[in-house]
Amino acid sequence: MTLGIFCAALVGAIFTGVPTVCALFVGLAAFCIYAWRWSGSARRVARMCWEGIAPIAKILGMLALIGVLTGLWRAAGVIPAIVYYAVPLISPGVFLLATFLLNCLVSVLTGTSFGTAATVGSICISMAGAMGVPLFAAGGAALSGAFFGDRCSPISTSALLVADLIGTDFYNNLKRMVKSAAVPFVLTCAV
């Protein structure tokens, strides 16, 4: 029944346009009530909630900061300004490679593929439209660069999440990912 309440809240939020975070809070409340009835202790339920969120608390903070940064860039007009000033500087012949490399760089520096795609990726797509570059190719270059850079970033939220959840050393994982990504990176740039 608790899972049904959560699913109904989630589907209802999607169909009514209510932010899904509201459905997540409804689900959290439903599961907390269920756990409280099962265990009989509100303190124990609160401790279980904290133990569940503690491993990813820093990742949630980073995601919130990235969301704020993306919103500020859009509100301040940074994206249209970059498009306006950058279009005359980039040749359509190297645009896809430049898009891939730029998104790789920003994703490595910020540690987020979604934030990169939402900021620099959308800039590159706007520039592609202004330059007559096929949008599907520009979108592929932007997304592959964003996800590739996130894979090799020392502040990657997804890599931190994986390391925290499975209890492995983050930097050893990062070294292995960089080694396995060298050949695909060179091949992608060549193509």
Side-chain angles (χ1 to χ4, degrees):
M1 188 167 93
T2 304
L3 185 58
I5 291 170
F6 172 61
C7 289
L10 193 56
V11 170
I14 291 170
F15 283 118
T16 60
V18 173
T20 53
V21 72
C22 296
L24 294 175
F25 281 122
V26 168
L28 176 64
F31 283 109
C32 285
I33 291 169
Y34 175 78
W36 173 68
R37 291 191 69 202
W38 176 74
S39 70
S41 168
R43 174 175 264 165
R44 186 170 179 201
V45 172
R47 188 173 61 240
M48 285 190 294
C49 288
W50 175 249
E51 288 171 359
I53 198 86
I56 61 167
K58 59 185 167 188
I59 295 166
L60 293 175
M62 290 176 80
L63 289 173
L65 288 174
I66 291 162
V68 169
L69 174 69
T70 304
L72 287 173
W73 278 17
R74 289 182 185 274
V78 171
I79 294 173
I82 291 173
V83 171
Y84 176 78
Y85 290 113
V87 166
L89 302 175
I90 297 177
S91 162
V94 296
F95 180 78
L96 294 177
L97 177 61
T99 296
F100 173 72
L101 293 174
L102 179 64
N103 280 277
C104 280
L105 177 67
V106 171
S107 189
V108 167
L109 293 175
T110 61
T112 173
S113 55
F114 294 119
T116 301
T119 55
V120 177
S122 63
I123 291 169
C124 291
I125 298 302
S126 299
M127 289 175 59
M131 297 172 72
V133 174
L135 294 180
F136 67 89
L143 287 177
S144 61
F147 285 115
F148 179 85
D150 185 33
R151 175 184 169 98
C152 300
S153 175
I155 56 172
S156 170
T157 53
S158 57
L160 280 169
L161 178 63
V162 168
D164 282 347
L165 291 178
I166 63 174
T168 58
D169 181 49
F170 172 70
Y171 294 105
N172 284 336
N173 291 350
L174 189 65
K175 287 177 192 175
R176 286 189 203 106
M177 287 189 285
V178 169
K179 284 180 186 177
S180 67
V183 172
F185 178 78
V186 171
L187 289 174
T188 301
C189 289
V191 170

